[in-house]
Amino acid sequence: MALTATSTATITTLLISLFFLPKLCSSEFTIDHHHRRFAKADVDLLEFPLNLEFFEAEFFLYGALGYGLDKVAPNLTKGGPTPLGAKKANLDHFTQDVILQFAYQEVGHLRAIQKVVKGFPRPLLDLSKESFAKTVDAAIGKKLSPPFDPYYSGVHFLLASYLIPYVGLTGYVGTIPKLKAPSSRRLVAGLLGVESGQDAVIRAYLYEHAKEIVSPYGITVGEFTNRFSELRDRLGHQGRKDEGLVVPLAEGAEGKINGNVLAGDADSVAFDRTAEEILRIVYGSGDEKKPGGFYPKGGNGRIARSHLL
């Protein structure tokens, strides 16, 4: 049967569409070094965590080794400024071993993200004992004497470390549903797995010592974690998304236990946070538009910088 003019036009249009379809689709994706496709819409979401990964890498490296990325992997810094006030911590052998493992894991995280997206220079980080002391004072509600020093001992360093990976992992939980490409979700899920493991190790160690008094403050390890979690909730402004190591019975798993070695909601599912909540917390200002705290000049990348315009 002969084709009508209308059917001929339809077929022609379809063929032209099929010819251009790969080009149209490819414009929505970027290709990494392993030839995996990542949605361009995911780039900002994949870059933002570099702010936290830089923080963790530097804090752990300096704590364990006394030096950071400038010596270990200078190419990953992309010329960003050297952190302020970071130094080697007075760690026992076990804690030194664990923190060094964390440090090199964070180097891998930075590399994994930068394989996929261009990234940005390391932001200016204030990792001085004075910076940590201000955060701890805000959590406790008064100035501690002597000021809290994260580099003083293994317990002090792990308490300071309690402030870091958990914020990042809640950000990864919040990011995954927003990602378009399966390869993007796979990357972030992999990062989340290790960040969650780090947080679990830190919490487990601190939980074992939860009832011990942190000298010379007369405050237990468990109470420090509770105060840190309360501070993060206050700064985040999005309700309860944080829990210390010892909670009221009603808030424990299934409402049946006070111990809280892992944090989670009523169904023991991990909490999530947005980039804006994370900025409010790490800036210590409760406002994503007001940098400070550990990030004196704010975070880098389009998401962080867009709030500073």
Side-chain angles (χ1 to χ4, degrees), residues 18-144:
L18 289 173
F19 176 78
F20 285 107
L21 184 59
K23 294 183 179 180
L24 292 171
C25 289
S26 64
S27 69
E28 298 177 2
F29 290 86
T30 182
I31 309 298
D32 78 348
H33 297 278
H34 298 284
H35 306 291
R36 293 172 298 188
R37 299 204 314 166
F38 287 82
K40 291 182 178 179
D42 294 345
V43 169
D44 290 338
L45 293 171
L46 293 174
E47 283 191 329
F48 178 78
L50 286 169
N51 288 296
L52 273 293
E53 299 290 357
F54 275 124
F55 187 130
E56 295 172 44
E58 295 290 13
F59 186 57
F60 292 146
L61 282 170
Y62 271 97
L65 298 173
Y67 51 82
L69 289 169
D70 288 336
K71 184 173 181 178
V72 174
N75 60 305
L76 296 178
T77 72
K78 296 187 179 293
T82 299
L84 304 173
K87 63 180 185 179
K88 192 176 189 307
N90 182 26
L91 305 177
D92 58 89
H93 177 74
F94 174 80
T95 307
Q96 165 83 17
D97 184 12
V98 170
I99 295 303
L100 186 57
Q101 292 180 49
F102 288 0
Y104 287 130
Q105 288 165 7
E106 295 304 330
V107 173
H109 289 183
L110 288 169
R111 186 174 60 251
I113 295 172
Q114 291 184 19
K115 284 179 179 178
V116 174
V117 294
K118 182 179 179 181
F120 46 71
R122 172 182 53 194
L124 179 63
L125 298 168
D126 186 350
L127 303 180
S128 66
K129 63 181 183 180
E130 291 80 11
S131 180
F132 278 94
K134 289 179 182 177
T135 300
V136 174
D137 287 348
I140 300 301
K142 65 178 181 180
K143 283 193 173 184
L144 296 181

Side-chain angles (χ1 to χ4, degrees), residues 158-212:
L158 286 169
L159 280 171
S161 299
Y162 178 95
L163 293 168
I164 305 168
Y166 182 69
V167 177
L169 80 87
T170 57
Y172 282 137
V173 173
T175 296
I176 289 175
K178 301 175 183 177
L179 296 170
K180 305 298 183 183
S183 50
S184 299
R185 293 193 292 271
R186 171 63 185 87
L187 171 62
V188 174
L191 294 166
L192 172 61
V194 175
E195 293 288 334
S196 299
Q198 291 178 355
D199 182 61
V201 170
I202 292 168
R203 291 181 70 102
Y205 178 88
L206 293 175
Y207 183 71
E208 183 180 5
H209 300 274
K211 295 182 180 180
E212 294 181 11

